[in-house]
Amino acid sequence: MKHFLRVVTQFFAFLYCKCLWRGLKFVARKLTGRCELQRICYNNKHGARRTLKIESSLKYSKNELLRSALSVHPDKVEKSIDDIMGLKKINPDTNPQLGISLQASLLQVVGYRSLVGEVEKLRREPYDCENAHHETLLMQLWKELRPDTPLTGRISKQWCEIGFQGNDPKTDFRGMGLLGLHNLLYFAEHDKANALQVLHDSLQPKHSEMSPSEWEQKSLDKAIGFSFAIVGINITDLAYSLLVSGALKTHLYNVAPELPSLLHFQQTFCYLMQEFHRFWTEEDPGDIMEFNRIRSKFHRRILKQLKHPDTALCPHFSASDLHLVNL
């Protein structure tokens, strides 16, 4: 029965897309004298509301030229807009704002696609301890998070102090490759006060029966917090899944005037780290074994926020004021 209902639903969805939807578009154009792209640009403010609709319109167009506009190189966007205006018989002199609006939205779309490729490339690059650049990044991470504590050796139990699992951090980067390291280092360098606060809190016992000095004499493995670096790599995975699934389009189309960049992605990571820290504290877990449950709940919360077309991170990254706002 469920299969039958699914088939019926898909059939009516097909009829809507192929027949009714196109019929409604035809009627709307006759009544308004404007094509769908014009109506979208004139009736929606710049940002996710407009860009998501333009992206959908081009994606499901029956015209190959319109569909191909979504995959052009950023340098070819202006020419693509000229081709679209010509195809739609729109005079750019009498509709100057339309070309500007289309160009801004199309740059966001192709920029998002490019960002996915850039992030994927970093994720696929494994950490190599023989690579001097990789080692430099790792050493810089230690210096940012432990500026007053020299590292006694490349292989050292000290790495546990910033949340790695063992003596050699390279094994912890396997899942997210260099992407995890780049995100952690960006957080430590560009949002240092918050990064140090999250690190400090992650090492604290859940209850305060003992003083900080007494706690420091105990094994760090017994902290009822979380491992900072490991959680950072895990939150990198969460941010990556949001990006690849397209859920992050709402945020990026609202904060990036044109091309979304790796910088925007890393700022998103900083936001997610701070929010997860707050969320973890609010959930008040009994021990680290509850991590997966809390992470899943946090993921669902972020997805729910991103479903609103006006949702965005604070458009100007600030180390002290980073939160979701409705533009």
Side-chain angles (χ1 to χ4, degrees):
M1 185 64 180
K2 289 183 178 179
H3 177 70
F4 173 75
L5 291 175
R6 190 183 305 115
V7 171
V8 171
T9 301
Q10 291 175 345
F11 174 72
F12 280 107
F14 173 81
L15 287 181
Y16 173 79
C17 293
K18 290 296 183 181
C19 303
L20 182 59
W21 179 59
R22 296 193 187 282
L24 290 174
K25 284 174 61 178
F26 176 79
V27 172
R29 175 151 194 169
K30 289 298 182 181
L31 291 175
T32 65
R34 294 174 176 175
C35 69
E36 184 179 38
L37 292 176
Q38 286 176 298
R39 296 194 300 275
I40 292 173
C41 288
Y42 293 144
N43 297 332
N44 296 274
K45 65 181 181 180
H46 177 64
R49 283 185 180 272
R50 178 192 295 169
T51 300
L52 287 171
K53 290 179 180 179
I54 287 176
E55 184 176 12
S56 178
S57 177
L58 295 175
K59 180 179 179 179
Y60 294 107
S61 173
K62 60 183 180 181
N63 188 286
E64 174 61 26
L65 186 148
L66 297 181
R67 294 196 304 273
S68 64
L70 295 175
S71 56
V72 300
H73 188 275
D75 293 340
K76 302 294 184 181
V77 165
E78 189 172 351
K79 181 183 182 305
S80 182
I81 296 301
D82 291 339
D83 292 340
I84 291 173
M85 299 278 277
L87 177 69
K88 295 292 185 179
K89 297 182 174 60
I90 300 172
N91 188 337
D93 295 327
T94 57
N95 296 272
Q97 188 58 43
L98 178 64
I100 296 173
S101 298
L102 281 175
Q103 183 170 333
S105 290
L106 194 53
L107 281 171
Q108 288 183 320
V109 173
V110 300
Y112 191 97
R113 180 190 293 265
S114 297
L115 176 60
V116 171
E118 185 178 4
V119 167
E120 182 64 27
K121 182 178 179 181
L122 282 173
R123 189 189 73 85
R124 287 179 175 272
E125 184 174 357
Y127 184 90
D128 182 4
C129 58
E130 300 297 324
N131 187 308
H133 178 59
H134 294 186
E135 289 285 285
T136 298
L137 294 177
L138 183 60
M139 293 301 111
Q140 187 61 32
L141 178 63
W142 174 267
K143 291 176 183 177
E144 294 292 340
L145 295 175
R146 280 287 187 260
D148 301 322
T149 306
L151 190 63
T152 58
R154 169 62 180 78
I155 307 298
S156 170
K157 185 67 174 176
Q158 284 179 286
W159 290 111
C160 295
E161 295 178 22
I162 60 173
F164 287 103
Q165 289 181 328
N167 297 343
D168 191 350
K170 73 174 184 179
T171 58
D172 293 327
F173 290 119
R174 288 174 182 166
M176 285 287 108
L178 278 193
L179 183 63
L181 178 55
H182 274 272
N183 277 352
L184 283 169
L185 184 55
Y186 184 91
F187 189 30
E189 289 182 331
H190 296 273
D191 197 8
K192 192 164 188 173
N194 280 316
L196 291 176
Q197 185 63 56
V198 173
L199 174 61
H200 174 268
D201 292 348
S202 73
L203 298 174
Q204 301 308 304
K206 183 177 178 182
H207 303 292
S208 57
E209 286 86 357
M210 64 180 74
S211 67
S213 60
E214 290 175 323
W215 175 249
E216 289 174 1
Q217 295 175 7
K218 302 293 182 180
S219 170
L220 291 171
D221 294 334
K222 295 179 182 178
I224 310 296
F226 52 74
S227 300
F228 176 86
I230 295 300
V231 167
I233 294 170
N234 205 289
I235 295 300
T236 292
D237 177 66
L238 189 151
Y240 168 78
S241 69
L242 292 173
L243 179 74
V244 173
S245 69
L248 211 53
K249 286 181 179 181
T250 305
H251 157 60
L252 290 178
Y253 288 169
N254 281 328
V255 300
E258 291 185 344
L259 294 168
S261 67
L262 184 62
L263 176 67
H264 295 108
F265 179 76
Q266 290 173 321
Q267 290 172 356
T268 304
F269 168 77
C270 293
Y271 160 75
L272 291 172
M273 280 293 286
Q274 292 178 64
E275 281 299 295
F276 183 79
H277 173 232
R278 282 191 281 266
F279 191 72
W280 177 270
T281 304
E282 291 170 3
E283 288 293 302
D284 192 27
D287 55 52
I288 194 64
M289 298 303 293
E290 294 192 61
F291 178 81
N292 287 337
R293 176 187 68 79
I294 293 176
R295 182 197 184 277
S296 297
K297 189 174 179 180
F298 177 70
H299 190 187
R300 291 193 298 271
R301 175 179 172 179
I302 297 298
L303 283 173
K304 183 177 180 181
Q305 290 173 307
L306 289 172
K307 285 181 180 179
H308 194 288
D310 291 333
T311 294
L313 290 177
C314 209
H316 300 292
F317 177 70
S318 169
S320 61
D321 184 20
L322 196 59
H323 55 276
L324 281 176
V325 296
N326 284 334
L327 298 178

